[in-house]
Every structure is written in C-alpha cells, then in structure tokens.
C-alpha cells in the first residue's frame, strides 16, 4: 500500500486508491492527500453539491467544486491560475 504525506491531516498515511477526478488533478490529489481525508472530502462534496445546487455536467459548477475541494483539503492551486 502506498503511503502519502498528507497536506490536510499532516500525517503520513495510506494513499488514495480508485478514481479521484482523473488526469493531472488526480495525480496531484493522490500525491498530497491520504485515503481518510479523501473520504472526508467525498462526504463534504455531497453537502457542497446540494448546498450550491451544482450540476456537475456544467464546467463552471465543476470548477466551483474543485475550488471548494482545494480549500477544504489545504491544497492550493500551484499552477498559478488567476482567480
Ligand atoms: Zn490526511
């Protein structure tokens, strides 16, 4: 089992297995977030989707969710994209 130094709980714990949004973002998440915190975010994401009434087929809604995820997981966007 791969271990990861998690930026959310600041512990070295079991990494994420399975799907995590895909692509570069998935690689970043898997290198920075542990399994337990990912489960925590998954629970939180459902609340956020309901609260903001996000339609995940909408790219803007998807971006809102990713922004929320980065804030929640303490994983700021390091690619320097302007807000
Ligand atoms: Zn963690």
């Amino acid at each position: 089992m791969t271990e990861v130094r998690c930026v959310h709980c600041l512990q070295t714990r079991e990494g994420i297995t399975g799907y995590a949004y895909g692509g570069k973002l998935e690689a970043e998440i898997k290198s920075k977030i542990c399994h337990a915190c990912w489960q925590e975010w998954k629970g939180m994401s459902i609340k956020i989707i309901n609260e903001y009434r996000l339609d995940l087929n909408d790219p803007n809604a998807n971006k809102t969710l990713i922004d929320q995820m980065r804030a929640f997981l303490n994983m700021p966007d390091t690619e320097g994209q302007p807000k």
Side-chain angles (χ1 to χ4, degrees), residues 21 45-46 48-50 53-66:
Y21 298 128
S45 71
I46 291 164
I48 290 171
I49 289 165
N50 289 334
R53 300 177 191 281
L54 297 180
D55 172 5
L56 297 183
N57 295 314
D58 173 357
N60 283 327
N62 232 320
K63 184 169 186 317
T64 301
L65 187 66
I66 298 304

Side-chain angles (χ1 to χ4, degrees), residues 4-11 13 16 20-21 25-26 28-45 48 64-77:
V4 62
R5 169 100 178 134
C6 176
V7 297
H8 182 68
C9 62
L10 304 179
Q11 294 176 50
R13 298 206 282 192
I16 300 164
Y21 298 128
L25 182 62
E26 174 160 326
E28 187 183 352
I29 292 167
K30 287 187 169 178
S31 72
K32 292 181 178 172
I33 303 298
C34 73
H35 177 77
C37 292
W38 185 243
Q39 295 304 312
E40 206 181 312
W41 161 247
K42 285 217 272 199
M44 181 63 75
S45 71
I48 290 171
T64 301
L65 187 66
I66 298 304
D67 286 348
Q68 294 287 327
M69 180 200 72
R70 286 188 179 281
F72 177 79
L73 293 174
N74 189 28
M75 200 178 80
D77 193 342

